[in-house]
Amino acid sequence: MNRAINEANQAIIERIRAARPHWIGVVAAKEAVPTLAQGFKLLHAGPPITWQDMTGPMQGACIGACLFENWASDEKQALDLLANGKVEFIPCHSVNAVGPMGGITSANMPMLVVENITHGNRAYCNLNEGIGKVMRFGAYGEEVLNRHHWMKESLGPALNDALKLFENGIDLTALMAQAITMGDEFHQRNIAASALLLRTLSPKLALLDRNKTEMAKIFDFLSVTDQFFLNLAMAYCKSVMDSAAQIQEGTIVTVMTRNGKDFGIKVSGLGDEWFTAPVNTPQGLFFTGYSQNEANPDIGDSAITETFGIGGAAMVAAPGVTRFVGAGGADVAYEVSEEMSEIYLDHNMLLQIPSWNFQGCCLGLDVRRVVETGITPLINTGIAHKQAGVGQIGAGTVRAPLVCFEKALEALAKKLKV
């Protein structure tokens, strides 16, 4: 039995290694996810959830999406739709997509399209909104809605037109291989990857026949949005892990995600079945004027990065992050990655970490090892305020709850009759 599991896991690992995700376009969400084209439907982060169970940031983002789509003319009308069961909520992960924090995505919002050219599957993620008041943290004022309309009408189409000028889009693995040597771990820190991306895009963007003032606005946005690459990293990891999940055997975790209420995982040998447990609340450093008491419980699909083996598992690549999230210094970053390597089966030499003696990122999160060791994945994350619209109030780390891994292992044992 163990031999069959190990063989399946090795096949999954080889599939992950072979994946080559490329960024090929930006389209309206309803093109990427056709089900969004009909009726009142919203994608959200995490496992399935109802309106009543959503925390403030996710509810605020839902209100913002209703206003953006003109389903409602004001907050009161939006709340009537949402609270009375008139909007259908769909997990991003159910439609080959991911979304940061609340993950709320509606039909006309632009989505990144990432294609795993090795295996032919695609994954999607909404565009990073930049800094300040943003919908992913639950804000839905005029400034937020104006930015979303600009992203729909200007930024998204410009990026899509620029990507058409590449033969096969942008090879994200090649870019990430550089960025990880420059201090990124691709969850909390994406400064290098975002800068490298802008360098790659700039010559193509400059060729577009567009108003100079508008192009200057696009360049300015991309130049100051340090986390722009996060959404691409998420779609990258989603495309890889979806491909890995096609091998429906073994014990490798293919999804980790949170919705502010539940932490959910999926495992290769158990298909699309969710295994959930109550989320923990991130611990970390807070911006001036805020405290731990105001922190929202763990939320967002961005833990797909740790599922793949970067983010918190690659903390050693980005010691600067340990200061930002209040975890300590370079020694702590090293200790975290060493600890994480105990629950992953292998290393990804496509993403080598100089400060780890050029060892590759972790690869193949094994539900058996998590349960056997009691070590749960550490996730780097932004911290949202409990109340809708306040926004990010800090950054920190959070542990996945052990219970969902225990549930999954019990289900595997039952399936395999062991």
Side-chain angles (χ1 to χ4, degrees):
M1 187 64 68
N2 280 338
R3 180 177 178 181
I5 291 172
N6 291 338
E7 287 177 353
N9 285 343
Q10 189 57 42
I12 292 169
I13 285 170
E14 293 308 317
R15 196 170 180 85
I16 293 171
R17 285 194 174 118
R20 291 296 181 275
H22 285 215
W23 182 22
I24 62 168
V26 179
V27 301
K30 62 187 177 185
E31 295 181 42
V33 184
T35 188
L36 291 175
Q38 301 296 325
F40 298 153
K41 298 178 182 179
L42 294 176
L43 304 185
H44 68 80
I49 192 171
T50 64
W51 166 260
Q52 288 74 17
D53 286 334
M54 291 180 181
T55 56
M58 189 178 285
Q59 287 191 340
C62 289
I63 294 170
C66 289
L67 297 172
F68 172 78
E69 294 290 343
N70 290 318
W71 298 345
S73 59
D74 56 31
E75 180 181 349
K76 184 177 183 298
Q77 287 186 6
L79 285 169
D80 180 66
L81 283 173
L82 294 160
N84 291 298
K86 298 175 183 178
V87 176
E88 180 182 352
F89 300 109
I90 304 169
C92 291
H93 274 289
S94 296
V95 290
N96 308 113
V98 279
M101 301 309 291
I104 302 303
T105 307
S106 61
N108 291 293
M109 292 180 183
M111 293 191 92
L112 306 163
V113 183
V114 171
E115 181 171 344
N116 174 0
I117 61 172
T118 304
H119 304 118
N121 65 299
R122 292 182 176 184
Y124 312 98
C125 187
N126 53 13
L127 285 178
N128 192 287
E129 303 164 78
I131 56 177
K133 295 287 185 181
V134 291
M135 199 179 291
R136 67 181 181 272
F137 283 104
Y140 52 88
E142 183 179 0
E143 173 190 348
V144 176
L145 295 174
N146 286 343
R147 185 185 299 136
H148 271 269
H149 283 294
W150 172 74
M151 291 165 66
K152 171 193 169 186
E153 296 159 9
S154 181
L155 177 63
L159 291 172
N160 191 55
D161 287 349
L163 288 165
K164 289 178 181 177
L165 300 177
F166 292 89
E167 185 174 351
N168 292 301
I170 295 176
D171 183 347
L172 297 178
T173 304
L175 191 150
M176 291 167 69
Q178 290 181 281
I180 201 165
T181 69
M182 300 165 70
D184 281 0
E185 40 74 70
F186 307 112
H187 191 166
Q188 196 56 242
R189 190 182 193 277
N190 283 279
I191 297 174
S194 297
L196 291 169
L197 184 69
L198 180 56
R199 186 182 73 170
T200 304
L201 279 170
S202 291
K204 307 301 185 186
L205 286 169
L207 293 173
L208 301 183
D209 184 16
R210 276 175 167 74
N211 176 276
K212 285 186 177 181
T213 301
E214 187 56 29
M215 289 308 300
K217 185 175 179 180
I218 290 170
F219 276 108
D220 182 61
F221 177 82
L222 294 173
S223 70
V224 299
T225 306
D226 292 342
Q227 281 286 70
F228 187 84
F229 192 83
L230 170 61
N231 299 50
L232 276 164
M234 291 170 59
Y236 175 102
C237 295
K238 177 63 175 168
S239 73
V240 175
M241 299 315 297
D242 276 359
S243 173
Q246 292 173 13
I247 301 176
Q248 297 182 358
E249 300 293 339
T251 58
I252 289 177
V253 178
T254 56
V255 169
M256 290 196 296
T257 184
R258 328 75 109 203
N259 60 24
K261 176 179 179 284
D262 293 317
F263 192 106
I265 70 169
K266 294 184 181 182
V267 178
S268 57
L270 295 165
D272 286 332
E273 187 174 357
W274 284 105
F275 299 92
T276 64
V279 296
N280 295 316
T281 299
Q283 306 286 318
L285 289 181
F286 291 85
F287 303 155
T288 302
Y290 299 104
S291 68
Q292 185 69 51
N293 292 334
E294 297 162 293
N296 196 74
D298 197 20
I299 189 170
D301 286 332
S302 54
I304 193 67
T305 55
E306 282 82 7
T307 312
F308 174 74
I310 50 180
M315 187 91 86
V316 67
V321 168
T322 61
R323 289 292 189 188
F324 184 54
V325 301
D331 55 337
V332 174
Y334 176 84
E335 291 166 5
V336 166
S337 292
E338 284 287 303
E339 181 189 35
M340 291 299 100
S341 67
E342 295 186 38
I343 56 176
Y344 291 78
L345 294 173
D346 214 325
H347 293 272
N348 186 351
M349 295 308 291
L350 291 172
L351 299 176
Q352 298 181 37
I353 303 174
S355 53
W356 211 11
N357 198 25
F358 290 94
Q359 193 167 211
C361 287
C362 294
L363 187 157
L365 177 59
D366 188 352
V367 69
R368 297 173 303 175
R369 288 195 175 189
V370 173
V371 175
E372 288 167 4
T373 63
I375 298 171
T376 53
L378 182 84
I379 297 164
N380 291 339
T381 186
I383 302 176
H385 196 284
K386 291 177 181 178
Q387 296 178 11
V390 176
Q392 184 174 1
I393 61 172
T397 59
V398 66
R399 291 276 181 173
L402 181 61
V403 173
C404 49
F405 296 89
E406 293 173 332
K407 288 180 178 179
L409 190 59
E410 288 171 2
L412 273 169
K414 185 176 180 180
K415 175 187 175 182
L416 299 173
K417 299 179 181 179
V418 295

